[in-house]
């Protein structure tokens, strides 16, 4: 009779309790137990490696948070201060929850934030740079893809799935994270009256957001839910999750204007810069009444206790965005060509031309990148192949020629 041995420890079948047979080898129960212990220890080590070590809130002062944001975002001082205070208080709440509370202790409640401002003013960019310095789970979700439960699209709980993924499925870490909901204005209901028919991407989503923002235990499907209805749900308590919402709220200035009765009689002649300045000043007076008229239910407005507005970008601000921040567009193009050993420079006239064109497009900081890509296209195509070129200067004449050439190509394609 052929002797049977374990492929791992070489023990014969007679010396072990159980021998598991395979096609190419066998394994005994002792080796199976040792393998299980190795796997458990490895998983614990991986979890410790990816766990979130919270920053010391006593060292993370609001002024330090704002100073970090100042390196990347030009202007918007008030919005930076509001975000810095909110994050600072969020850390203090986390510290409070770690301590044992007495029966008469004061419980600090969270204050969710709503950021309002024209497109391209830096709402999402502020949050992205804020996320770089935070050590809590942090995710950015888009409200445009969310629909009411039972309809095509994503459930509201999908934002918690994203937060859970960022936290490496550490539930305790996810329950102390921060969620930024972008394009929140896109879920406004279509009219100020209560909807007669189902508003699956507006009022229905707002109703579903109520329990998340207020604080509740929500059952979250780890893989998205609708495609895997059989999977086991993960309960997450949203009481300590900070929600920051942002949106352009296009046209809400008219609602504020009617409420304040600031519309002048007769004709009014003003340039675009005056109009944008007027819109920014109106947004500073926004209130819960204006949000309700825009299409938000009062219950959701009440859960967004801190409302801050971002100013429209002036020409001076656009110029600073183009040249001054740590991650400025001009610095990015210079670094790209420096990798080809080419020193790139821009004349003052060329920079002013880019700012003027971007301001006329009314796309904010996004317009700067669009114009820079258009102007730099030909140079980025030709320069890497010209090994003898060591310096290159973009002047106003070249910028105008590149921009006009791109417009001509668009007309010919059309």
């Amino acid at each position: 009779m052929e002797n049977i041995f374990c492929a791992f420890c070489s023990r014969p079948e007679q010396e072990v309790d159980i021998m598991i047979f395979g096609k190419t080898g066998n394994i005994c129960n002792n080796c199976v137990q040792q393998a299980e212990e190795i796997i458990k220890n490895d998983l614990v080590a991986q979890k410790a490696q990816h766990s979130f070590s919270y920053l010391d809130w006593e060292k993370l002062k609001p002024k330090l948070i704002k100073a970090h944001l100042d390196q990347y975002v030009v202007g918007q001082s008030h919005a930076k201060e509001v975000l810095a205070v909110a994050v600072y208080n969020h850390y203090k709440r986390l510290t409070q929850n770690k301590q044992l509370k007495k029966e008469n202790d004061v419980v600090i409640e969270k204050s969710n934030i709503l950021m309002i401002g024209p497109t391209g003013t830096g709402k999402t960019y502020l949050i992205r740079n804020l996320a770089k310095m935070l050590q809590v789970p942090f995710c950015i979700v888009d409200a445009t893809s969310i629909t009411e439960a039972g309809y095509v699209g994503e459930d509201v709980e999908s934002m918690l799935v994203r937060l859970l993924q960022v936290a490496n499925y550490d539930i305790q870490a996810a329950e102390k994270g921060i969620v930024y909901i972008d394009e929140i204005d896109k879920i406004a209901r279509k009219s100020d009256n209560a909807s007669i028919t189902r508003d699956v991407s507006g009022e229905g989503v707002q109703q579903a957001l109520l329990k998340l923002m207020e604080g509740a235990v929500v059952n979250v499907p780890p893989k998205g839910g609708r495609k895997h209805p059989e999977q086991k749900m993960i309960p997450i308590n949203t009481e300590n999750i900070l929600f920051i919402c942002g949106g352009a709220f296009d046209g809400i200035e008219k609602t504020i204007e009617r409420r304040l009765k600031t519309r002048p009689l007769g004709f009014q002649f003003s340039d675009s810069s005056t109009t944008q300045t007027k819109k920014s000043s109106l947004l500073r007076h926004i209130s819960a009444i204006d949000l309700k008229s825009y299409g938000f239910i009062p219950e959701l407005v009440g859960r967004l206790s801190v409302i801050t507005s971002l100013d429209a970008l002036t020409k001076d601000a656009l110029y600073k965005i183009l040249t001054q921040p740590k991650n400025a567009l001009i610095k990015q193009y210079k670094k790209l060509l420096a990798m080809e050993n080419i020193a790139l420079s821009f004349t003052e006239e060329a920079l002013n031309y880019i700012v003027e064109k971007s301001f006329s497009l009314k796309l904010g900081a996004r317009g700067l990148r669009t114009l820079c890509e258009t102007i730099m296209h030909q140079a980025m195509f030709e320069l890497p192949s010209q090994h003898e070129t060591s310096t290159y200067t973009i002047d106003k004449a070249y910028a105008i020629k590149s921009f006009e050439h791109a417009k001509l190509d668009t007309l010919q394609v059309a």
Side-chain angles (χ1 to χ4, degrees):
M1 183 177 178
E2 182 182 358
N3 291 328
I4 299 174
F5 297 90
C6 176
F8 287 82
C9 64
S10 300
R11 293 177 183 173
E13 184 181 10
Q14 295 81 6
E15 296 182 8
V16 299
D17 296 331
I18 300 173
M19 184 70 73
I20 302 172
F21 301 97
K23 290 183 178 181
T24 59
N26 310 311
I27 184 171
C28 66
N29 61 301
N30 297 323
C31 293
V32 170
Q33 291 175 356
Q34 291 180 5
E36 184 182 7
E37 291 178 2
I38 293 172
I39 292 173
K40 285 183 178 179
N41 293 334
D42 187 51
L43 289 176
V44 170
Q46 290 182 13
K47 187 174 181 181
Q49 182 180 2
H50 297 290
S51 63
F52 291 85
S53 57
Y54 297 104
L55 294 175
D56 188 357
W57 64 269
E58 294 181 352
K59 297 179 181 178
L60 191 73
K61 301 299 182 182
K63 287 188 177 181
L64 293 178
I65 300 174
K66 183 178 180 295
H68 173 79
L69 295 176
D70 286 337
Q71 297 179 25
Y72 297 92
V73 182
V74 173
Q76 314 299 357
S77 178
H78 179 67
K80 291 175 187 175
E81 291 177 3
V82 171
L83 285 174
V85 171
V87 171
Y88 180 67
N89 288 339
H90 186 62
Y91 275 109
K92 287 194 288 187
R93 291 185 71 250
L94 299 183
T95 306
Q96 173 204 12
N97 293 334
K98 290 181 181 180
Q99 300 171 352
L100 293 175
K101 298 186 290 292
K102 298 179 181 179
E103 187 176 347
N104 59 348
D105 276 353
V106 176
V107 178
I108 304 173
E109 296 182 354
K110 66 178 177 181
S111 297
N112 298 315
I113 304 169
L114 176 62
M115 300 171 60
I116 300 175
T119 180
T121 51
K123 297 183 295 296
T124 308
Y125 194 60
L126 267 173
I127 301 300
R128 289 190 185 278
N129 285 285
L130 182 64
K132 291 180 182 179
M133 70 178 300
L134 299 180
Q135 294 182 13
V136 293
F138 194 108
C139 72
I140 299 177
V141 296
D142 195 343
T144 55
S145 61
I146 300 175
T147 58
E148 190 176 348
Y151 292 85
V152 176
E154 295 184 359
D155 290 328
V156 170
E157 289 79 9
S158 63
M159 64 181 66
L160 298 182
V161 175
R162 174 62 183 148
L163 185 64
L164 197 61
Q165 291 171 347
V166 172
N168 300 307
Y169 290 91
D170 184 345
I171 298 177
Q172 291 184 349
E175 289 180 346
K176 299 172 183 177
I178 299 176
V179 177
Y180 175 65
I181 308 176
D182 200 8
E183 306 292 348
I184 191 72
D185 55 317
K186 303 304 186 292
I187 64 170
R189 63 188 182 192
K190 305 303 182 288
S191 66
D192 195 22
N193 299 321
S195 60
I196 299 174
T197 57
R198 304 295 289 177
D199 186 7
V200 298
S201 61
E203 185 177 353
V205 176
Q206 294 184 46
Q207 296 285 356
L209 278 173
L210 295 179
K211 62 177 182 178
L212 264 69
M213 290 189 175
E214 182 69 21
V217 178
V218 182
N219 290 322
V220 176
K223 296 182 181 178
R226 294 185 181 179
K227 294 183 180 179
H228 306 276
E230 74 286 351
Q231 62 191 325
K232 185 179 179 181
M233 297 291 186
I234 300 176
I236 295 181
N237 190 351
T238 65
E239 182 181 359
N240 295 322
I241 297 177
L242 179 65
F243 289 89
I244 304 174
C245 304
F249 288 82
D250 188 31
I252 200 171
E253 301 90 0
K254 297 178 182 178
T255 304
I256 304 172
E257 202 171 31
R258 285 195 299 269
R259 180 173 59 83
L260 298 177
K261 297 179 181 180
T262 60
R263 186 182 298 275
L265 298 174
F267 295 99
Q268 181 184 15
F269 300 95
S270 61
D271 57 10
S272 58
S273 61
T274 305
T275 305
Q276 290 194 15
T277 304
K278 181 182 176 183
K279 287 183 178 180
S280 297
S281 61
L282 285 172
L283 286 177
R284 296 172 188 169
H285 299 283
I286 194 168
S287 67
I289 299 174
D290 304 315
L291 294 173
K292 181 177 178 296
S293 300
Y294 192 80
F296 279 81
I297 59 177
E299 298 92 331
L300 183 62
V301 176
R303 284 162 173 79
L304 296 168
S305 51
V306 179
I307 302 175
T308 182
S309 63
L310 282 79
D311 299 328
L313 298 177
T314 61
K315 293 180 182 179
D316 182 55
L318 287 172
Y319 184 87
K320 291 179 179 178
I321 290 171
L322 197 61
T323 57
Q324 290 186 6
K326 198 172 184 178
N327 203 31
L329 275 174
I330 298 301
K331 295 179 182 178
Q332 292 181 38
Y333 285 109
K334 287 182 178 180
K335 186 174 182 178
L336 277 172
L337 288 179
M339 299 169 92
E340 304 284 347
N341 296 321
I342 299 172
L344 178 67
S345 62
F346 289 79
T347 64
E348 194 73 16
E349 292 78 12
L351 295 175
N352 289 328
Y353 174 78
I354 295 173
V355 169
E356 287 285 345
K357 284 293 180 182
S358 178
F359 187 78
S360 63
L361 290 174
K362 298 180 181 179
L363 293 178
R366 292 189 182 93
L368 291 174
R369 177 168 287 278
T370 302
L371 278 165
C372 287
E373 289 289 344
T374 302
I375 292 170
M376 291 295 299
H377 167 72
Q378 196 66 25
M380 298 291 286
F381 177 75
E382 295 178 354
L383 290 178
S385 302
Q386 299 177 5
H387 300 290
E388 69 278 1
T389 304
S390 59
T391 59
Y392 197 82
T393 302
I394 303 293
D395 57 12
K396 183 177 180 180
Y398 180 86
I400 294 174
K401 181 182 176 182
S402 299
F403 184 73
E404 295 296 333
H405 181 69
K407 288 175 63 178
L408 183 61
D409 286 347
T410 304
L411 290 172
Q412 288 175 347
V413 170

